[in-house]
Amino acid sequence: MRGCGYHVAVLDAPGHGDRPRTEHDERETAALFAARAAGEPEGPIVVRYNDHLAKLAVPEYRQLLDAPQQLPETGTDGPVGFWGINTGTAIGVPFVAAEPRITAAVFGQHWPHVLAEYAKRITVPSSSTSSGTTSTYPARRAWRSSTPSPRRRSPCT
């Protein structure tokens, strides 16, 4: 975004958006829909699949972070944040835990019992939201602004 003081990079998770789906993606999706149709719990399938996606995505996300930091207008000395909900949290927590260049993170709709080991390694300010509440992972203190940000009247809002 030009003139707003920050740059944004976005990468779809493996098997999401325009990225090709593998046989593994198709099997997990079929299992999810079968569980839903049978009235069985979907959570174990989602957790298993998201863990698989995180193992594939974390190295890709780290590479993605390399590219813009090589541009002169971005550089390597500025702060780097991460924001993700649902699958973005399932991938983001392990990514932020592994990536020392991330300086702040926001997560939403998470499964703390599954991500707890990764979350313990996060050393940057982080916040998580779920069902309208804000909490932090056990290893973190809450990081929130004490005053709301002023409304901007620019294309950056």
Side-chain angles (χ1 to χ4, degrees):
M1 199 163 239
R2 182 175 271 177
C4 296
Y6 59 90
H7 302 273
V8 177
V10 178
L11 177 64
D12 285 331
H16 288 70
D18 291 333
R19 296 188 66 179
R21 296 177 61 85
T22 66
E23 287 183 33
H24 185 268
D25 296 323
E26 298 298 341
R27 280 193 310 274
E28 292 288 51
T29 301
L32 177 68
F33 286 122
R36 185 176 295 161
E40 297 172 354
E42 299 171 24
I45 299 163
V46 172
V47 168
R48 178 182 68 223
Y49 183 49
N50 284 344
D51 183 58
H52 170 76
L53 291 176
K55 287 179 174 127
L56 297 175
V58 168
E60 291 181 356
Y61 282 29
R62 293 184 86 178
Q63 270 189 313
L64 174 68
L65 188 53
D66 291 341
Q69 288 193 319
Q70 294 174 13
L71 299 172
E73 63 270 21
T74 306
T76 59
D77 58 345
V80 177
F82 180 87
W83 182 91
I85 59 172
N86 296 329
T87 305
T89 293
I91 293 170
V93 170
F95 171 58
V96 172
E99 183 49 66
R101 293 175 287 183
I102 303 295
T103 56
V106 176
F107 306 109
Q109 300 294 323
H110 63 284
W111 298 275
H113 65 284
V114 174
L115 299 175
E117 287 307 309
Y118 291 111
K120 289 177 187 176
R121 295 193 307 253
I122 293 176
T123 60
V124 300
S126 60
S127 178
S128 63
T129 61
S130 180
S131 304
T133 61
T134 300
S135 61
T136 57
Y137 292 102
R140 299 292 316 150
R141 283 190 16 222
W143 178 72
R144 292 185 243 182
S145 172
S146 59
T147 58
S149 299
R151 291 197 156 241
R152 294 185 183 176
R153 296 175 196 247
S154 73
C156 299
T157 56

